[in-house]
Structures are given as C-alpha cells and as structure tokens.
Amino acid sequence: MEHQIRRIGVLTGGGDCPGLNAVIRAVVKTAISQYGWEVLGIEDGFEGLIQPGKVRPLKMADVRGILPRGGTILGTTNRANPFHYEVEVDGEIKAFDVSDDVVRYAQVLGIDVLIVIGGDGSLRIAYELMQKGLKVVGVPKTIDNDLKDTAVTFGFDTAINTAMDALDKLHTTAESHHRVIILELMGREAGWIALEAGIAGGADIILIPEIPYDVESITEHIRGRNLSGAKFSIVVVAEGAKPMGGEEVYREQREIGAVRRLGGIGQQLAEQLRERCSLEIRVTVLGYLQRGGTPTAFDRLLSSRFGTIAVHLVAQGKLGQMVALKDERITAVPIAEAVSAQKMVSLNSDIILTAMGLGINLGRKQEEIRAL
Ligand code: F6P
C-alpha cells in the first residue's frame, strides 16, 4: 500500500477544540519525514472540498510553532455536510447533495487518502464518503468526549481544566456573597464535561443530560447545606440537561446548515430555584471559553500520538479506521463502529459512584438514580 501513496489530505471538521493544531503538526511531520508524502491542507472542513480555492500544501515550515496554539490553522465549520449542503436561493434555504462532487474533487487534487479530524458528525460524513470511493482515516476530536470506542477524545482534558478553573473562581465569590451560583457548561447529549469538571472543581450539584433532574431534590440539597452552615452552593449544569418530564432549552436563532443550538438551561433552573428558596442566585455560562486556549500536556500528547498513528494507518492500508485510545495504547477501530452510537455517562460507572460518595447531588435522590 505504502508505495501507492503520494499525497494525503487533512481537514478539521465540526466545532474547534484545543489540540487540533497538534494533530495537524504530527500528521505533516510524520507524513513527510517517515514516508516522503505530500500533504494538502483542506480549509474549513468539508467546505474546502465543496468550494474552490480552499486547498494548500502543508510543509514542515507551515506547522512550525503551532503545537501550543488553540483552534485550527486550517479553519473549520460545522455547517458543510456534503450530503445535505444548505444554501440560500432567492431567500429560501435549499439543501443539495454534493457528495459526488466532493469525491471527484478529491481525486482531481490527487488525494490518495484523506485524514479527517472530527467529531461524530464529521466522521459520519467521512464514512459515507468512503462508501462513494474516498479513502479515509479518522481522528476523534471533541471537547464533549462523547465518541465511543476511544477512552477519551483530545480537547476534553483542556476543556475540563478551563471549567475547573472557572469553578475555583466562582467558589470564592459564591462563598463571600452567600449565593447559589449556577455554571452552565457544554455537553449536548452527554454530561462528561459537567460531571468531570464538576467533581474536579468541587461542585455541590451536577446536572447532566443522562439524569433528568428533579428541582425539589436540588432545592432540598441546597437547604440542607444552608442548615449545616454552608451558606453557598455551586451548581454545574450541562447545556443538554433537562428537568424530569421537561425539554432541553434551545436558543432562538438557527444558522444555515447548522444544528439547533442549546443554551439557557442555567437561567431556567435559576427561575425554578427562585420560586422555591429565598437565596440569591446567579448564573454564569462558560460557553466558547471551553473550546479555546492552549492544549494541556495531556491533550498535546494525545493529539500528537493520534496524528502520528493516523499516518501509519494510512501507510498500512488500514482505511476506514479511526485512531483511538484503549488501555493506554493507540489502536485502530472501524469508523462505522465508532459513530454507531454516542458515549454516554453510564449510571453505574465509578465516576457516578464517586460523585455520590462525595455527597454531590446529581439532580435526583441516589436511590432513584440507582433505579434508572
Ligand atoms: O460539540 C462541541 C460543542 O461545543 C457542543 O457542546 C456545543 O453544543 C456545540 O459544540 C456548539 O457549537 P457551535 O455553537 O459552534 O455550533
């Protein structure tokens, strides 16, 4: 296989996250130094294979100094699905299937294999393009850590460190003012960021999408803390969390080609708590700070390992595979398998047991959670 490869492409798709540049750097360095291949950088995710003029060669000099940089030097978008490419025509939004054009364009560019660095959305697109003849290898990224078949995705560690830092700061002001402070964090479907940052940051209450919450249980917990002398409480809520029998909270506006945006559950919860107790309640939404900044040492290392091994998979002809971390080693798993379901927080995992053991309220009575 190796001798047939001359040129590979690399793109970053979906929401950005710390460590993307470290992967690009590892891909370029390994491809050039170990195999002598050319590397083409595709700008703005799959958009770069839909619109012209968004492809450029990546040489060693192009990746110099990018290891500590957040974001992606290639740019990204979560709005360019070639199978459902939305554009505005005469004031109306229309969707087109441009996937055949994408495969053809990649052939014209002489891309033998495309390395797709993305979350479940981008990797699903990569898998579908593979069915049409494009050769791909995947690298799992998302701060949400909701991709199954890898112990962790890069970007997650940086995100939870950022959130933990915010929690440390919120603690001091909450304590000084005897307030309840709610911190809304990212996490659409899965509550990994909220749960792990919440535990690391000493939160009193953590609400995740996997456990629909009962506002009475939260109120009782806050009252109990006040009675025991702790005159403040810190609540962490994932943006995708919802009350029992209720719905997730979405923002109003929708952009062309984008999925609906979550946001606002923190405020909604604050209103619910204000109806039940007389404490001062404040809300902070950490938002895109979680996606920015320099990657932690863990994420730099994981990204570098992922990028390097992805290139070796290309050389070995292991196409349609995604690099993954399993039992401390980087291995390969079929992309089809990895995107078949999301990795949710398991309610009988040790991390949930840890939260319970620490006396953290997870939005429900512990016996109710055990019965879910
Ligand atoms: O997938 C990561 C994520 O950060 C989600 O937690 C969040 O809902 C989403 O991206 C927001 O993405 P954007 O506003 O860029 O579309």
Side-chain angles (χ1 to χ4, degrees):
M1 177 78 197
E2 189 189 319
H3 61 279
Q4 295 164 3
I5 308 277
R6 293 268 178 281
R7 184 178 290 162
I8 62 168
V10 59
L11 66 78
T12 51
D16 72 336
C17 86
L20 284 168
N21 283 328
V23 180
I24 296 168
R25 174 177 174 267
V27 165
V28 170
K29 283 189 168 229
T30 309
I32 295 175
S33 74
Q34 304 292 300
Y35 296 104
W37 299 338
E38 284 175 38
V39 184
L40 286 186
I42 319 290
E43 293 171 5
D44 300 336
F46 289 104
E47 183 85 32
L49 291 175
I50 297 172
Q51 301 292 343
K54 284 177 165 281
V55 177
R56 63 173 197 261
L58 290 177
K59 303 251 163 55
M60 288 291 196
D62 297 304
V63 296
R64 199 167 292 144
I66 67 170
L67 177 63
R69 264 169 67 182
T72 159
I73 58 164
L74 290 174
T76 188
T77 177
N78 41 19
R79 294 195 262 159
N81 179 350
F83 293 90
H84 188 89
Y85 187 61
E86 288 190 354
V87 281
E88 204 176 316
V89 185
D90 301 330
E92 242 186 89
I93 298 172
K94 293 201 169 140
F96 299 92
D97 181 347
V98 294
S99 55
D100 288 332
D101 301 330
V102 163
V103 176
R104 224 170 297 130
Y105 187 32
Q107 278 163 0
V108 169
L109 291 168
I111 293 174
D112 296 311
V113 178
L114 178 67
I115 295 185
V116 175
I117 311 168
D120 60 342
S122 305
L123 291 174
R124 197 164 293 124
I125 293 169
Y127 172 71
E128 285 169 12
L129 289 173
M130 201 176 74
Q131 310 308 304
K132 297 200 155 201
L134 186 70
K135 293 172 179 155
V136 298
V137 161
V139 178
K141 87 64 241 192
T142 163
I143 62 163
D144 291 350
N145 194 32
D146 56 0
L147 259 165
K148 78 177 189 68
D149 292 337
T150 181
V152 69
T153 51
F154 71 87
F156 174 68
D157 186 64
T158 309
I160 61 171
N161 272 286
T162 301
M164 179 188 74
D165 187 40
L167 283 167
D168 288 348
K169 290 174 173 148
L170 291 174
H171 258 96
T172 57
T173 176
E175 188 167 14
S176 306
H177 283 267
H178 318 297
R179 283 175 172 162
V180 174
I181 294 196
I182 300 172
L183 178 65
E184 182 177 311
L185 295 176
M186 282 184 170
R188 292 185 68 82
E189 251 64 62
W192 294 105
I193 297 180
L195 185 60
E196 298 206 8
I199 293 173
D204 306 300
I205 294 153
I206 301 175
L207 308 174
I208 58 174
E210 291 86 344
I211 307 176
Y213 66 80
D214 174 3
V215 70
E216 302 302 341
S217 164
I218 300 168
T219 314
E220 212 175 289
H221 192 79
I222 292 172
R223 282 207 194 103
R225 280 178 53 80
N226 268 50
L227 287 174
S228 71
K231 301 286 181 214
F232 72 98
S233 290
I234 300 288
V235 184
V236 170
V237 59
E239 61 180 358
K242 52 183 175 298
M244 279 163 65
E247 298 287 324
E248 295 91 351
V249 182
Y250 287 94
R251 294 185 194 278
E252 289 291 299
Q253 84 276 35
R254 180 184 180 277
E255 292 146 351
I256 297 175
V259 293
R260 285 177 77 196
R261 291 169 60 220
L262 285 157
I265 188 70
Q267 280 297 350
Q268 179 177 295
L269 175 65
E271 296 311 323
Q272 292 176 316
L273 290 175
R274 279 190 192 109
E275 286 165 13
R276 289 167 175 81
C277 62
S278 56
L279 293 165
E280 283 183 18
I281 301 168
R282 297 289 187 268
V283 180
T284 297
V285 180
L286 199 57
Y288 296 91
L289 287 172
Q290 293 159 94
R291 294 229 302 241
T294 186
T296 57
F298 179 88
D299 276 338
R300 291 183 198 194
L301 191 57
L302 184 61
S303 300
S304 300
R305 293 169 81 192
F306 274 172
T308 299
I309 302 303
V311 170
H312 288 311
L313 291 187
V314 172
Q316 292 158 12
K318 294 194 175 156
L319 306 173
Q321 304 280 310
M322 176 190 93
V323 287
L325 181 69
K326 267 189 185 169
D327 304 325
E328 310 295 324
R329 291 183 55 243
I330 308 294
T331 116
V333 296
I335 296 178
E337 191 47 44
V339 298
S340 63
Q342 269 177 318
K343 184 175 72 178
M344 312 297 282
V345 175
S346 156
L347 299 190
N348 40 38
S349 58
D350 72 88
I351 191 91
I352 290 286
L353 284 180
T354 303
M356 287 179 171
L358 293 168
I360 296 170
N361 177 286
L362 294 169
R364 300 279 280 278
K365 291 197 175 81
Q366 292 198 358
E367 55 273 24
E368 285 177 23
I369 295 172
R370 283 190 201 100
L372 283 178

